[in-house]
């Protein structure tokens, strides 16, 4: 287990948020209790006071983030101000994983993507066939941990489906390997000639692209909690909109792809097994759905709603911190009454054993004077700290 210290490095000019790798900890038992014990021993040996800890961050393993026996819970028992922040990028990966595993059709979709990659990548000769037909792009392997790889995998199909299909046709006609010939023919006949699968390519490409853009922003060096929450809210809004408005736009994109590949843009209607009706049942009240509407309700809405629920649950902690610290990122836009209330709330949030890091009333007075004198070019929180450094400790609470 690696131990990294993140701090606001105030001795530098300008002030910087820096990370320092401290050491590797040998771990034989990965339970929350044992990991916590290793961390405690390491902090004691380094002469660090746990009471000075103000944040802890790990991945999303239950032994780390668990609310009952996880490592973060045990640290919080010693110091409630050591706020736990889950890895935002890893969290977003898990949201996408939840969406992909929520439906058998979604699992099948990514299974086909992997089948195409395996077919070409398992032979040099087959890879040459692919490269000869698809210029500038290749199919990509799926990864269970790095979902950024999945946008690349789907991107190849979204923009190069016709030449990939042509490569499969050539492979089916020229290869002497029975399994490769059968696999290539199956992919061409059943998947890449199926309008529903082409539609799924469009849907997943759009959803993954939107999530990947937010993931990259969450990994940027100057990302703060206020911007992160706004980006995640924006992603939730996009998912909501996709269920209706963007679904229709995706349908148009899928039909264009189908036209290019000479595939009839129609959903294949599955045979419905009818239940025998009782003599007193009113069959006139039965609601029938079109195949397209059934696909939207039972597939698209299902995976998108799963994504929205996962976003809400997995980023709940971000919203808590935004509610308590968010006003600091919008200091110039916060009125005096709201500023006073937020500072008093922050004092309570930072209190432990009747001792708080700040005096809320004094902080509100300081920030009121500070925001009126801030230069126009000073907007980000780190810039405010650098401005304060030039003020010779005139704002002790700030």
């Amino acid at each position: 287990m690696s131990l990294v210290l993140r701090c606001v490095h105030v001795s530098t000019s300008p002030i910087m948020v820096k990370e320092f790798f401290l050491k590797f900890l040998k771990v034989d038992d990965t339970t929350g209790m044992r990991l916590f014990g290793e961390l405690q021993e390491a902090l004691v040996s380094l002469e660090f006071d746990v009471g000075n800890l103000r944040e802890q961050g790990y991945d999303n393993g239950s032994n780390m983030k668990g609310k009952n026996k996880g490592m973060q819970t045990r640290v919080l028992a010693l110091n409630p101000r050591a706020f736990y922040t889950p890895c935002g990028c890893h969290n977003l990966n898990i949201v996408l994983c939840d969406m992909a595993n929520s439906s058998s059709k979604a699992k099948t979709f990514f299974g086909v993507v992997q089948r195409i990659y395996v077919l070409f990548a398992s032979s040099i000769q087959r890879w040459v066939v692919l490269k000869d037909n698809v210029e500038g792009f290749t199919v990509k392997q799926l990864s269970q941990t790095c979902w950024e790889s999945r946008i690349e995998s789907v991107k190849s199909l979204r923009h190069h489906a016709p030449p990939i299909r042509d490569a499969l046709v050539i492979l089916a006609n020229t290869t002497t390997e029975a399994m490769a010939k059968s696999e290539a023919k199956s992919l061409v006949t059943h998947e890449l000639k199926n309008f529903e699968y082409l539609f799924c390519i469009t849907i997943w490409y759009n959803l993954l692209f939107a999530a990947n853009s937010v993931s990259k922003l969450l990994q940027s060096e100057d990302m703060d909690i206020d911007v992160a929450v706004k980006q995640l809210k924006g992603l939730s809004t996009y998912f909501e909109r996709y269920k209706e408005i963007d679904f229709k736009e995706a349908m148009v994109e899928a039909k264009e792809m189908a036209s290019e590949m000479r595939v009839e843009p129609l959903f294949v209607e599955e045979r419905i097994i009818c239940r025998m009706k009782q003599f007193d049942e009113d069959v006139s009240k039965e609601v029938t759905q079109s195949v397209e509407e059934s696909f939207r309700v039972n597939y698209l809405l299902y995976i998108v709603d799963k994504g929205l629920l996962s976003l809400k649950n997995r980023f709940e902690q971000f919203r808590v911190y935004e509610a308590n610290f968010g006003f600091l990122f919008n200091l110039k836009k916060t009125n005096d009454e709201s500023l006073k209330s937020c500072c008093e709330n922050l004092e309570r949030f930072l209190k432990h054993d009747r001792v708080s890091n700040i005096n809320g009333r004094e902080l509100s007075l300081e920030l009121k004077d500070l925001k009126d004198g801030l230069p126009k070019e000073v907007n980000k929180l780190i810039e405010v700290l650098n401005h304060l450094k030039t003020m010779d400790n005139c704002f002790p609470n700030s």
Side-chain angles (χ1 to χ4, degrees):
M1 182 169 64
S2 57
L3 182 59
V4 178
L5 174 69
R6 179 185 294 129
C7 63
V8 182
H9 204 354
V10 295
S11 61
T12 60
S13 186
I15 294 173
M16 300 177 67
V17 177
K18 300 193 72 174
E19 288 186 350
F20 300 91
F21 168 76
L22 301 181
K23 63 190 298 186
F24 285 118
L25 305 179
K26 187 175 183 297
V27 176
D28 297 316
D29 183 351
T30 58
T31 61
M33 179 181 291
R34 186 57 187 159
L35 292 174
F36 173 66
E38 292 287 349
L39 176 63
Q40 265 192 312
E41 291 178 14
L43 294 177
V44 170
S45 67
L46 293 167
E47 299 182 358
F48 284 163
D49 184 359
V50 179
N52 290 329
L53 193 62
R54 289 295 174 272
E55 189 257 356
Q56 47 175 330
Y58 319 108
D59 61 22
N60 289 276
S62 59
N63 56 347
M64 309 299 282
K65 70 169 186 177
K67 294 182 178 180
N68 297 317
K69 297 181 180 180
M71 187 168 167
Q72 63 101 2
T73 303
R74 298 177 188 276
V75 174
L76 285 171
L78 289 180
N79 177 11
R81 291 177 292 192
F83 306 121
Y84 166 61
T85 305
C87 175
C89 308
H90 190 244
N91 252 353
L92 203 49
N93 275 342
I94 297 177
V95 169
L96 296 173
C97 190
D98 289 343
M99 293 170 66
N101 291 327
S102 65
S103 163
S104 60
K105 281 188 178 182
K107 292 179 181 178
T108 301
F109 170 80
F110 286 107
V112 172
V113 174
Q114 183 69 356
R115 281 170 59 197
I116 294 173
Y117 170 81
V118 170
L119 178 63
F120 285 113
S122 57
S123 165
I124 294 175
Q125 289 77 17
R126 296 178 213 160
W127 195 259
V128 170
V129 172
L130 176 69
K131 294 288 286 183
D132 288 344
N133 286 272
V134 184
E135 296 182 4
F137 269 87
T138 59
V139 290
K140 303 291 184 180
Q141 184 176 17
L142 298 181
S143 169
Q144 292 298 322
T145 54
C146 181
W147 272 77
E148 187 172 346
S149 69
R150 302 219 169 191
I151 180 64
E152 295 300 323
S153 303
V154 179
K155 185 177 182 179
S156 300
L157 284 172
R158 173 64 184 87
H159 295 296
H160 297 275
I164 288 175
R165 184 193 58 184
D166 293 342
L168 288 168
V169 171
I170 293 172
L171 194 61
N173 294 331
T174 60
T175 185
T176 58
E177 300 175 60
M179 288 187 65
K181 182 184 288 288
S182 174
E183 181 74 339
K185 189 174 181 179
S186 174
L187 288 167
V188 170
T189 306
H190 298 107
E191 275 75 35
L192 296 183
K193 278 192 176 180
N194 185 335
F195 176 68
E196 183 177 301
Y197 190 79
L198 299 182
F199 197 9
C200 288
I201 292 175
T202 304
I203 288 171
W204 276 108
Y205 175 72
N206 292 340
L207 295 177
L208 288 170
F209 186 85
N212 190 53
S213 300
V214 174
S215 180
K216 286 184 178 296
L217 287 170
L218 291 177
Q219 295 176 66
S220 59
E221 290 185 3
D222 59 347
M223 177 58 58
D224 56 48
I225 192 72
D226 182 58
V227 177
V229 170
K230 288 179 181 177
Q231 291 295 329
L232 292 167
K233 286 180 179 177
L235 183 59
S236 295
T237 302
Y238 177 77
F239 280 3
E240 285 283 2
R241 192 181 69 222
Y242 204 91
K243 293 192 291 186
E244 294 291 345
I245 301 173
D246 287 16
F247 172 79
K248 297 177 182 178
E249 295 178 3
M251 176 68 78
V252 174
E253 293 176 29
K255 287 182 177 179
E256 290 174 355
M257 189 191 306
S259 175
E260 186 179 358
M261 297 179 69
R262 297 186 297 279
V263 174
E264 192 173 5
L266 295 174
F267 289 92
V268 177
E269 188 168 0
E270 298 179 0
R271 180 175 176 271
I272 300 174
I273 300 175
C274 297
R275 178 179 61 85
M276 183 177 292
K277 303 294 189 298
Q278 300 298 322
F279 72 92
D280 59 343
E281 283 189 89
D282 187 357
V283 295
S284 64
K285 292 184 179 180
E286 289 187 358
V287 178
T288 58
Q289 290 180 322
S290 65
V291 184
E292 178 184 322
E293 183 63 13
S294 177
F295 174 83
R296 190 184 77 86
V297 172
N298 298 320
Y299 180 63
L300 177 69
L301 297 190
Y302 195 80
I303 62 173
V304 171
D305 284 341
K306 183 67 177 178
L308 288 167
L309 180 62
S310 188
L311 271 174
K312 180 181 178 181
N313 293 336
R314 296 189 181 280
F315 289 95
E316 182 180 0
Q317 202 67 45
F318 278 27
R319 288 189 288 271
V320 173
Y321 297 149
E322 197 270 341
N324 288 281
F325 295 100
F327 75 100
L328 295 172
F329 299 95
N330 297 283
L331 201 56
K332 292 180 179 179
K333 298 178 182 179
T334 308
N335 60 53
D336 294 347
E337 189 63 33
S338 178
L339 185 63
K340 180 182 177 182
S341 175
C342 289
C343 289
E344 290 174 349
N345 179 62
L346 186 59
E347 178 184 357
R348 291 190 294 270
F349 194 60
L350 295 173
K351 183 175 289 186
H352 175 48
D353 289 339
R354 298 184 180 180
V355 177
S356 180
N357 289 135
I358 61 167
N359 182 306
R361 183 175 178 279
E362 292 180 3
L363 177 63
S364 65
L365 294 173
E366 289 178 14
L367 293 180
K368 181 181 176 181
D369 291 337
L370 176 64
K371 71 171 184 174
D372 294 335
L374 280 177
K376 289 184 179 180
E377 64 273 11
V378 175
N379 293 303
K380 294 185 178 180
L381 200 57
I382 195 72
E383 295 171 348
V384 175
L385 288 176
N386 280 304
H387 180 71
L388 284 171
K389 192 173 182 181
T390 66
M391 307 289 288
D392 296 325
N393 295 322
C394 293
F395 300 94
N397 283 278
S398 305

